[in-house]
Amino acid sequence: DAKTTQPNSMESNEEEPVHLPCNHSTISGTDYIHWYRQLPSQGPEYVIHGLTSNVNNRMASLAIAEDRKSSTLILHRATLRDAAVYYCTTATGNQFYFGTGTSLTVIP
Amino acid sequence: KAGVTQTPRYLIKTRGQQVTLSCSPISGHRSVSWYQQTPGQGLQFLFEYFSETQRNKGNFPGRFSGRQFSNSRSEMNVSTLELGDSALYLCASSADGPGNTIYFGEGSWLTVV
């Protein structure tokens, strides 16, 4: 099972960029890297995913290391609504392996 | 289109009882997976169903079981409930194929007393 390791918590000032790191050193060549976030009392929400190349969407950017053993989720301008627990996961088919996530606090 | 729907949202059961949770996936999604979320253990994979067959299974005891119906709706059952089964149970659905995203429901909060 590919495991992920993330810092337990991070803080960011509002409107500043945030870089959330994740290590997945046992990832296999065909496993995708997904990021989800979870607000209190809600199910996790999809943020972004990729395989090898860096990815951008309206919510965030995903930077994947060349050896794929780590990745970074980039929120370009943190807002108060971005305060959540962020999960980095690897997926073999439809079986996702979640770590304990990073709790992001956004300071106004 | 409608998202993943889970029922019931909240329930309280007594130790030793059994419970059944229901999940309706996003229309067109044939893969349904279940996760248990607890404060100490985070999100843990229970099992995944595709076309009425269990395709993957996590490391949970046999008290945890599930099934999927021909319309892709799924149920999970926990028998002989223990206090440690108190958790948020999340269902997620997905189209099949590599790199597909899974979409979660709001979850069912189970409290065992």
Side-chain angles (χ1 to χ4, degrees):
Chain A
D1 297 355
K3 298 292 189 286
T4 62
T5 305
Q6 301 174 252
N8 287 333
S9 62
M10 291 184 65
E11 284 186 353
S12 173
N13 292 319
E14 196 176 9
E15 299 191 5
E16 295 286 321
V18 183
H19 290 233
L20 297 166
C22 179
N23 288 319
H24 28 78
S25 57
T26 59
I27 192 170
S28 73
T30 56
D31 289 350
Y32 279 74
I33 300 155
H34 294 244
W35 283 80
Y36 286 79
R37 69 181 185 183
Q38 187 174 25
L39 299 170
S41 301
Q42 293 186 23
E45 171 192 31
Y46 168 76
V47 177
I48 200 167
H49 77 289
L51 183 60
T52 56
S53 304
N54 295 344
V55 184
N56 300 294
N57 67 20
R58 63 174 181 82
M59 289 181 70
S61 295
L62 175 60
I64 301 173
E66 198 169 327
D67 63 6
R68 297 197 348 112
K69 293 183 185 300
S70 65
S71 62
T72 301
L73 177 70
I74 303 164
L75 306 179
H76 296 287
R77 290 181 67 213
T79 70
L80 297 179
R81 289 178 298 176
D82 291 323
V85 178
Y86 286 78
Y87 293 97
C88 163
T89 86
T90 59
T92 302
N94 281 350
Q95 187 166 358
F96 284 64
Y97 303 94
F98 286 82
T100 52
T102 297
S103 179
L104 175 65
T105 300
V106 180
I107 302 167
Chain B
K1 52 185 174 183
V4 178
T5 305
Q6 292 187 245
T7 57
R9 287 278 284 133
Y10 304 93
L11 67 167
I12 300 174
K13 290 286 188 178
T14 305
R15 268 185 305 175
Q17 286 186 313
Q18 66 95 26
V19 66
T20 299
L21 308 177
S22 181
C23 172
S24 293
I26 291 172
S27 177
H29 285 185
R30 295 166 63 192
S31 169
V32 174
S33 50
W34 290 88
Y35 291 81
Q36 181 195 64
Q37 187 172 32
T38 58
Q41 298 293 322
L43 269 161
Q44 292 190 286
F45 174 78
L46 280 156
F47 30 65
E48 184 220 358
Y49 285 86
F50 180 80
S51 291
E52 302 178 66
T53 301
Q54 188 180 86
R55 191 160 63 173
N56 291 296
K57 189 178 190 307
N59 295 322
F60 279 81
R63 300 185 298 107
F64 292 82
S65 63
R67 59 177 176 168
Q68 187 180 33
F69 302 97
S70 58
N71 61 359
S72 294
R73 193 176 67 83
S74 177
E75 289 180 347
M76 68 161 283
N77 183 277
V78 188
S79 62
T80 320
L81 284 166
E82 301 175 359
L83 295 179
D85 297 333
S86 295
L88 176 65
Y89 290 88
L90 290 156
C91 170
S93 77
S94 169
D96 202 34
N100 275 316
T101 303
I102 59 174
Y103 296 89
F104 286 88
E106 298 278 298
S108 292
W109 289 93
L110 170 65
T111 301
V112 182
V113 298

